[in-house]
């Protein structure tokens, strides 16, 4: 089966990193079509996954756009659609990996008469999307997609609540390569030294810098923790959240935490950095659709504390394989951080258990098998 994957982004967010693992087994008979150029294209090339950039101009529709603003972007969408339709005729199936990819993929599926699979990496709720965008996504998926793969039960439930057909959806979690997260002690020591953090209790936050990812919550919590607790913020503002970045820097200065917070920007050495942390904090203030960083933290053998909402609740069982705190509550987070600092033995046991269970539950081999079976099963149904 020849697959045409579509993704709107030029930057590697969680959905894009997941796509690399999904497209890899199909790389001798697939193409990834992006709607904008950027570092994600190079990353696909590094993995020898064929990739092309369809659009020359970024599409200006945002998650919050209304119908009027959406219609205004038709001028950009039509040339892109024509390109995608032409290309899709050489493939058996269109696999849309993002919202805008769904819009183009649905129309391309209609014009090229190719079936459509939609991988849903979002929670279609009012916290994340305007009403118009939710309606468009659900209407197009219901009308054109033969299969909707949701990245968590939380994403699936939100899709159905927004009017999505339950009988076309199924849940498949993201897959990971557990061996990538086995880092030796000398690498960890070297990295801690490079960062000037030896002897500190390091709390890592791994996410793009965006208000709903809640880096400000961690900074507020840090001010309530003992002085040996230091935070590293790993990630960049991927989608233009520069005002938030400025606010974070101002907050650090206002709280006198200049020596206890390090902004490391976007990094490719996530497993090494996670292994160098004593605790990893996930602080999203809106429900997280899945939360790749939570699983990665588990695979690294580092204790993880996550905001209790959305997909995070399917990944973490409080006190068993991690800790859960109320979203947007820095005081509760500070308490967990301080407890982990004091009771290292208990949190280490929890982290070891998490590492063992996550490496089975999220092994990319099993996850890819699930996707391949779904596509095969669904191919048989289409041919009937
Ligand atoms: N990530 C990365 N470099 C960074 C920060 C984050 O490679 O500097 C990765 C992180 O390891 C995770 C992904 O970006 O795999 C983020 O996925 P997640 O599901 O946590 O959030 P999303 O970006 O999808 O909202």
């Amino acid at each position: 089966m020849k697959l045409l994957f579509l993704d709107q982004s030029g930057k590697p967010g969680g959905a894009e990193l997941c796509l690399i693992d999904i497209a890899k087994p199909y790389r001798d008979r697939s193409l990834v079509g992006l709607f904008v150029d950027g570092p994600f294209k190079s990353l696909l090339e590094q993995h020898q996954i064929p990739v092309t950039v369809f659009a020359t101009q970024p599409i200006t529709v945002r998650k919050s756009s209304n119908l009027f603003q959406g219609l205004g972007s038709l001028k950009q969408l039509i040339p892109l659609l024509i390109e995608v339709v032409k290309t899709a005729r050489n493939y058996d199936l269109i696999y849309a990996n993002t919202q805008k990819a769904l819009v183009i993929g649905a129309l391309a599926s209609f014009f090229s008469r190719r079936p459509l699979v939609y991988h849903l990496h979002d929670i279609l709720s009012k916290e994340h999307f305007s009403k118009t965008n939710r309606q468009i996504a659900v209407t197009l998926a219901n009308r054109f997609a033969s299969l909707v793969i949701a990245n968590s039960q939380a994403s699936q439930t939100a899709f159905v609540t927004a009017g999505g057909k339950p009988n076309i959806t199924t849940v498949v979690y993201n897959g990971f390569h557990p061996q990538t997260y086995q880092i030796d002690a000398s690498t960890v020591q070297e990295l801690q030294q490079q960062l000037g953090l030896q002897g500190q209790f390091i709390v890592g936050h791994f996410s793009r810098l965006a208000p709903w990812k809640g880096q400000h919550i961690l900074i507020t919590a840090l001010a309530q923790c003992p002085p040996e607790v230091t935070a590293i913020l790993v990630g960049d503002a991927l989608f233009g959240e520069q005002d938030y970045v400025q606010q974070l820097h101002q907050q650090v200065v206002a709280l006198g935490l200049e020596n206890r917070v390090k902004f490391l920007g976007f990094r490719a050495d996530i497993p090494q950095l996670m292994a160098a942390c004593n605790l990893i904090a996930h602080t999203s203030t809106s429900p997280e659709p899945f939360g790749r960083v939570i699983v990665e933290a588990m695979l690294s053998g580092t204790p993880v504390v996550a905001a209790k909402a959305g997909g995070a609740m399917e990944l973490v069982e409080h006190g068993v394989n991690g800790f859960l705190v109320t979203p947007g509550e820095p005081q509760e987070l500070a308490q967990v951080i301080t407890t982990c600092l004091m009771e290292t033995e208990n949190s280490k046991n929890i982290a070891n258990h998490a590492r063992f269970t996550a490496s089975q539950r999220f092994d990319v081999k099993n996850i890819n098998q699930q996707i391949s079976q779904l596509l095969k099963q669904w191919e048989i149904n289409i041919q009937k």
Side-chain angles (χ1 to χ4, degrees):
M1 196 186 337
K2 292 172 72 187
L3 304 184
L4 174 62
F5 294 99
L6 298 178
D7 191 293
Q8 73 203 43
S9 181
K11 294 177 184 170
E16 287 67 37
L17 295 171
C18 173
L19 183 61
I20 292 176
D21 288 321
I22 291 172
K24 219 170 182 176
Y26 297 95
R27 62 186 166 190
D28 59 340
R29 58 211 139 109
S30 73
L31 176 69
V32 177
L34 304 181
F35 300 172
V36 62
D37 207 345
F40 179 42
K41 179 170 177 258
S42 318
L43 211 51
L44 287 159
E45 284 164 348
Q46 277 167 33
H47 289 269
Q48 279 114 41
I49 298 168
V51 52
T52 188
V53 178
F54 284 122
T56 46
Q57 282 178 344
I59 306 168
T60 48
V61 191
R62 300 198 145 264
K63 285 183 171 184
S64 53
S65 294
N66 59 31
L67 185 62
F68 201 62
Q69 290 159 326
L71 288 175
S73 65
L74 276 180
K75 260 208 321 269
Q76 298 162 310
L77 294 185
I78 289 169
L80 170 63
L81 177 61
I82 293 171
E83 280 290 298
V84 176
V85 171
K86 263 202 295 199
T87 310
R89 294 203 168 111
N90 301 318
Y91 292 84
D92 301 314
L93 166 80
I94 301 172
Y95 192 110
N97 197 51
T98 54
Q99 290 272 320
K100 289 173 197 166
L102 169 68
V103 175
I104 294 296
L107 297 173
S109 147
F110 176 76
F111 288 116
S112 65
R113 295 168 171 270
R114 293 297 182 274
L116 174 76
V117 168
Y118 174 38
H119 199 137
L120 174 64
H121 295 274
D122 295 303
I123 291 195
L124 293 175
S125 65
K126 64 175 186 311
E127 286 111 325
H128 292 284
F129 292 92
S130 68
K131 194 171 174 206
T132 309
N133 276 348
R134 278 182 275 149
Q135 273 169 348
I136 290 175
V138 165
T139 308
L140 291 177
N142 281 350
R143 168 70 183 80
F144 295 102
S146 314
L147 174 66
V148 175
I149 300 176
N151 67 348
S152 67
Q153 279 156 29
S155 300
Q156 185 190 40
T157 303
F159 175 75
V160 174
T161 307
K165 285 191 205 158
N167 61 335
I168 56 167
T169 74
T170 189
V171 174
V172 179
Y173 289 133
N174 282 206
F176 298 84
H177 300 265
Q179 67 281 10
T180 311
Y181 298 86
Q182 308 271 354
I183 307 298
D184 57 78
S186 62
T187 307
V188 169
Q189 263 175 8
E190 214 172 288
L191 193 52
Q192 285 174 342
Q193 205 166 353
Q194 270 172 23
L195 297 171
L197 293 173
Q198 305 115 297
Q200 305 283 308
F201 185 88
I202 308 168
V203 181
H205 193 291
F206 297 78
S207 170
R208 58 197 155 90
L209 304 178
W212 78 273
K213 291 290 189 179
Q215 281 87 355
H216 59 287
I217 303 290
L218 175 59
I219 296 172
T220 308
L222 195 69
Q224 301 169 26
C225 292
E228 66 267 42
V229 181
T230 303
I232 57 170
L233 302 184
V234 182
D236 214 343
L238 290 189
F239 306 114
E241 299 91 345
Q242 287 311 326
D243 288 353
Y244 183 61
V245 178
Q246 222 178 338
Q247 272 172 39
L248 290 176
H249 284 279
Q250 283 165 356
Q251 188 190 6
V252 168
V253 174
L255 292 170
L257 295 172
E258 293 93 327
N259 296 327
R260 291 173 59 197
V261 180
K262 283 191 189 294
F263 290 84
L264 300 189
F266 186 87
R267 301 273 297 224
D269 54 348
I270 298 299
Q272 290 77 1
L273 284 164
M274 284 191 168
C277 291
N278 300 96
L279 177 70
I280 289 162
H282 163 269
T283 57
S284 296
T285 54
S286 298
E288 187 73 55
F290 176 72
R292 289 177 60 87
V293 292
I294 300 169
V295 178
E296 292 174 305
M298 291 179 178
L299 295 171
S300 307
T302 304
V304 61
V305 52
K308 192 178 175 184
M313 289 164 71
E314 296 161 48
L315 309 178
V316 181
E317 204 181 328
H318 184 75
V320 176
N321 62 351
F323 304 94
L324 287 169
V325 288
T326 312
E329 289 288 340
Q331 212 168 335
E332 228 182 284
L333 179 62
Q335 249 163 29
V336 171
I337 296 173
T338 310
T339 308
C340 288
L341 168 72
M342 306 294 189
E343 298 172 11
T344 44
E345 186 76 19
N346 181 44
S347 48
K348 200 63 217 165
N349 288 340
I350 288 176
N352 286 340
H353 176 68
R355 182 178 225 166
F356 177 74
T357 47
S359 57
Q360 297 183 330
R361 194 173 172 207
F362 303 103
D363 190 322
V364 72
K365 285 204 286 292
N366 304 336
I367 303 290
N368 277 345
Q369 220 167 0
Q370 285 177 40
I371 301 236
S372 141
Q373 266 165 8
L374 278 170
L375 296 182
K376 266 193 211 135
Q377 194 182 349
W378 160 88
E379 194 185 19
I380 295 164
N381 290 342
I382 291 265
Q383 282 165 357
K384 269 185 197 164

